[in-house]
Amino acid sequence: MRNILITVMMLIVVALLFTSIINNGSTGMRKNIETHGTKANTDITALQP
């Protein structure tokens, strides 16, 4: 029973860490990657042959 409780608590902590690091609105990793991707797309489209 104790092992199950520890496992569930660890899963909750991992989920909270994921939410705070990856999906954190305007400062999260997802937003950072999206911003850099948009800038890269703009730079690539602006290239002249």
Side-chain angles (χ1 to χ4, degrees):
M1 185 69 181
R2 182 176 171 184
N3 289 339
I4 295 172
L5 177 63
I6 291 173
T7 303
V8 169
M9 289 175 65
M10 288 178 68
L11 287 172
I12 291 171
V13 168
V14 168
L16 290 174
L17 284 174
F18 175 81
T19 304
S20 66
I21 294 171
I22 305 295
N23 287 333
N24 190 13
S26 63
T27 60
M29 190 180 258
R30 177 179 290 184
K31 181 65 174 176
N32 202 3
I33 291 171
E34 183 180 325
T35 302
H36 283 39
T38 303
K39 184 183 179 314
N41 284 340
T42 304
D43 291 347
I44 290 170
T45 344
L47 290 175
Q48 297 295 326

